[in-house]
Amino acid sequence: MRAVIQRVSRASITVDNNCIAAIDSGLLILLGVETADTSADVAWLCAKIAKLRIFNDSAGLMNCDISQIGGKCIVVSQFTLHASTKKGNRPSFIRAARPEQARALYEEFVAQLRHELGNNELVQTGEFAADMKVELLNDGPVTICIDTQNRE
């Protein structure tokens, strides 16, 4: 499971010209699920993200997690995070999970992150498998990539 985590001042998701999610200060999480992923990857990644200290404290140092700043999250499924570009110019997505597996783990991830943060309203989502327009104002910029297959 791969996550690209962006600290944002604001972010929104639009599908068919309708805004389906919008936050101010918080995290935009792009989530890619691969065939090897399990519930253990979901649990580990959600715990890591919930405690990730990438928000500034009063001294301007990155010492606070999302809960400490009262932020929200948007989670967007993005299979292209598992693109392989080793051969040719057309990416291969062979490692990306099939939609059935990916949807189940994506939904489990959202539920687990809501549990970690203690409030369902703090985590919004995109629409699985939809053509989404993602807008964000990256704060910092701060962008963190985490792959559960590379924990050590």
Side-chain angles (χ1 to χ4, degrees):
M1 191 167 281
R2 287 186 183 155
V4 174
I5 302 150
Q6 297 181 310
R7 186 178 78 180
V8 297
S9 296
R10 68 174 182 269
S12 65
I13 307 295
T14 303
V15 176
D16 295 329
N17 294 319
N18 294 314
C19 182
I20 63 168
I23 62 169
D24 289 320
S25 184
L27 299 174
L28 174 67
I29 303 166
L30 306 175
L31 184 70
V33 179
E34 70 175 290
T35 56
D37 290 331
T38 67
S39 292
D41 294 299
V42 169
W44 181 85
L45 186 56
C46 286
K48 179 66 95 173
I49 291 171
K51 298 300 180 199
L52 200 58
R53 297 181 347 180
I54 60 172
F55 293 94
N56 294 346
D57 63 14
S58 60
L61 302 173
M62 287 199 295
N63 261 336
C64 297
D65 64 33
I66 186 123
S67 295
Q68 292 171 304
I69 61 110
K72 295 183 178 181
C73 301
I74 297 179
V75 182
V76 177
S77 177
Q78 190 166 350
F79 75 94
T80 59
L81 292 179
H82 289 289
S84 173
T85 57
K86 289 182 181 179
K87 293 170 67 175
N89 293 316
R90 184 174 182 191
S92 167
F93 302 103
I94 195 82
R95 290 182 53 199
R98 303 292 308 151
E100 305 78 32
Q101 177 192 11
R103 181 186 301 267
L105 287 173
Y106 167 78
E107 290 173 357
E108 184 178 339
F109 178 91
V110 170
Q112 181 66 31
L113 188 58
R114 286 175 172 156
H115 175 74
E116 290 284 341
L117 297 177
N119 185 334
N120 287 352
E121 295 178 14
L122 295 179
V123 181
Q124 298 180 35
T125 65
E127 184 177 319
F128 189 89
D131 180 18
M132 294 175 274
K133 305 304 180 212
V134 179
E135 289 189 64
L136 69 130
L137 180 57
N138 194 315
D139 180 16
V142 174
T143 303
I144 307 289
C145 300
I146 302 175
D147 190 325
T148 61
Q149 302 302 316
N150 298 319
R151 294 183 197 185
E152 298 174 19

